[in-house]
Amino acid sequence: QQQVKQSPQSLIVQKGGISIINCAYENTAFDYFPWYQQFPGKGPALLIAIRPDVSEKKEGRFTISFNKSAKQFSLHIMDSQPGDSATYFCAASSRFDYKLSFGAGTTVTVRA
Amino acid sequence: DGGITQSPKYLFRKEGQNVTLSCEQNLNHDAMYWYRQDPGQGLRLIYYSQIVNDFQKGDIAEGYSVSREKKESFPLTVTSAQKNPTAFYLCASTLDWGRTDTQYFGPGTRLTVL
């Protein structure tokens, strides 16, 4: 049973467009929400992360929006580039067991 | 360069064979993890080790075994009891248990059962 539900499974966006990936969770003990980026045949790499004391965090073209009351968080990729084509995973962990629970992943394809 | 190395990159196994996947890190991290990745299912935790000589089962430990005799090494054995072992296996480490914000992944090993 997946503790973090991620959507969509895949998306295609034009170069310069905005990619939006959504995640939802049920465990209110979660207090750390990272996003990982994975290229084919490689291991995931941490992209950006947020804690529930803030509603938004931005790093370059990547922004996390966090809605604690709705138990949802999302990744926005602004001005999407072909090099952003990858699989993105959301995840969550709590201070009680420190194990990351991952979403199923979203494959993003950016068309030039 | 500090990081995690996994070997081999590709591994083929015949039915009934045990195989061992290697994971080495030079990050001086205390905690290490093994995940399995299948298409459309995200990453699932197989085993984790908080410290040397200690390890715990994750969510899908059946058919797998591990050891943690050295801080830098955390090998995973896929036994013949694992009914569907074909997958992409990822090793990871964190500075210590509780620091999920320091989690690094290795490049992975793709295991195929023939």
Side-chain angles (χ1 to χ4, degrees), chain A residues 32 38 43-44 89 93 97-98 103, chain B residues 37 42 97-98 100-101 103 105-106:
Chain A
Y32 174 67
Q38 183 181 33
F89 292 96
S93 68
D97 68 9
Y98 299 117
Chain B
Q37 183 175 10
W97 183 248
T100 48
D101 58 328
Q103 185 150 335
F105 284 89

Side-chain angles (χ1 to χ4, degrees), chain A residues 2 9 32 34 36 38 41-46 51 87 89 93 97-105, chain B residues 9 33 35 37 40-43 45 48 57 59 88 90 97-103 105-108:
Chain A
Q2 217 151 25
Q9 186 175 358
Y32 174 67
Y36 285 84
Q38 183 181 33
K42 306 293 184 184
L46 179 63
R51 295 196 182 272
T87 299
F89 292 96
S93 68
D97 68 9
Y98 299 117
K99 291 180 286 183
L100 283 169
S101 295
F102 286 85
Chain B
K9 186 172 175 68
Y33 311 77
Y35 293 90
Q37 183 175 10
Q41 293 195 46
L43 281 67
L45 184 63
Y48 62 97
K57 292 182 179 179
D59 300 321
F88 191 50
L90 289 159
W97 183 248
R99 291 296 309 274
T100 48
D101 58 328
T102 64
Q103 185 150 335
F105 284 89

Side-chain angles (χ1 to χ4, degrees), chain A residues 30-63:
Chain A
F30 284 153
D31 63 355
Y32 174 67
F33 302 89
W35 285 89
Y36 285 84
Q37 180 188 54
Q38 183 181 33
F39 294 105
K42 306 293 184 184
L46 179 63
L47 184 64
I48 186 173
I50 198 169
R51 295 196 182 272
D53 53 341
V54 297
S55 60
E56 185 174 282
K57 183 175 181 179
K58 182 176 181 179
E59 289 184 3
R61 296 183 293 105
F62 300 91
T63 299

Side-chain angles (χ1 to χ4, degrees), chain B residues 4-111:
Chain B
I4 301 175
T5 57
Q6 291 186 240
S7 61
K9 186 172 175 68
Y10 299 97
L11 186 57
F12 298 90
R13 191 194 92 171
K14 293 182 180 179
E15 295 273 359
Q17 280 183 337
N18 292 356
V19 290
T20 297
L21 283 59
S22 170
C23 176
E24 303 277 332
Q25 54 98 359
N26 61 5
L27 299 165
N28 201 32
H29 282 183
D30 281 334
M32 297 186 74
Y33 311 77
W34 274 105
Y35 293 90
R36 170 180 171 142
Q37 183 175 10
D38 296 282
Q41 293 195 46
L43 281 67
R44 293 182 290 168
L45 184 63
I46 303 172
Y47 267 96
Y48 62 97
S49 168
Q50 297 182 31
I51 202 164
V52 177
N53 293 321
D54 173 77
F55 51 83
Q56 306 292 333
K57 292 182 179 179
D59 300 321
I60 55 166
E62 184 175 352
Y64 300 98
S65 66
V66 294
S67 63
R68 186 84 188 279
E69 297 175 0
K70 297 187 295 182
K71 184 175 183 177
E72 59 271 22
S73 178
F74 191 40
L76 173 74
T77 297
V78 184
T79 75
S80 56
Q82 170 49 235
K83 297 306 177 189
N84 185 21
T86 294
F88 191 50
Y89 290 88
L90 289 159
C91 179
S93 69
T94 55
L95 183 61
D96 57 41
W97 183 248
R99 291 296 309 274
T100 48
D101 58 328
T102 64
Q103 185 150 335
Y104 286 88
F105 284 89
T109 292
R110 185 165 298 281
L111 173 64

Side-chain angles (χ1 to χ4, degrees), chain A residues 4 13 16 21 26 29 39 41 46 50 52 85 87 107:
Chain A
V4 180
V13 63
I21 307 169
E26 289 298 325
F39 294 105
L46 179 63
I50 198 169
S85 297
T87 299
T107 300

